[in-house]
């Protein structure tokens, strides 16, 4: 019952974070499809870093909630 109270209290924030991450990842994917940004090493590094963050952050969040 503790988890249901947490999600009830924080659902809007969690849903907003998921939608924001999905939009940023989609924008980066479009950017990587263009010739200009596909050859930009800084943009590729930022894309890799944010993609890794978007995979690890939810797992860490679930781990913290489970504690």
């Amino acid at each position: 019952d503790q988890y249901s109270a947490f999600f009830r209290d924080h659902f809007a924030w969690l849903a907003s974070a998921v939608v924001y991450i999905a939009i940023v990842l989609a924008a980066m994917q479009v950017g990587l499809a263009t010739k200009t940004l596909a050859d930009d090493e800084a943009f590729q590094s930022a894309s890799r870093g944010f993609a890794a963050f978007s995979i690890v952050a939810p797992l860490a969040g679930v781990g913290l909630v489970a504690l």
Side-chain angles (χ1 to χ4, degrees), residues 3 6-7 13-14 21 52-67:
Y3 296 116
F6 174 82
F7 286 114
W13 181 85
L14 291 169
I21 288 172
F53 166 77
S54 68
I55 293 169
V56 172
L59 294 175
V62 167
L64 289 174
V65 170
L67 291 178

Side-chain angles (χ1 to χ4, degrees), residues 2-28:
Q2 182 182 12
Y3 296 116
S4 64
F6 174 82
F7 286 114
R8 183 178 53 247
D9 294 340
H10 301 289
F11 180 76
W13 181 85
L14 291 169
S16 298
V18 169
V19 169
Y20 178 76
I21 288 172
I23 290 171
V24 171
L25 286 174
M28 286 182 165

Side-chain angles (χ1 to χ4, degrees), residues 22-48:
I23 290 171
V24 171
L25 286 174
M28 286 182 165
Q29 187 175 11
V30 170
L32 288 172
T34 64
K35 289 183 181 183
T36 304
L37 291 176
D39 296 333
D40 187 357
E41 190 63 35
F43 185 77
Q44 286 186 2
S45 295
S47 295
R48 278 192 298 270

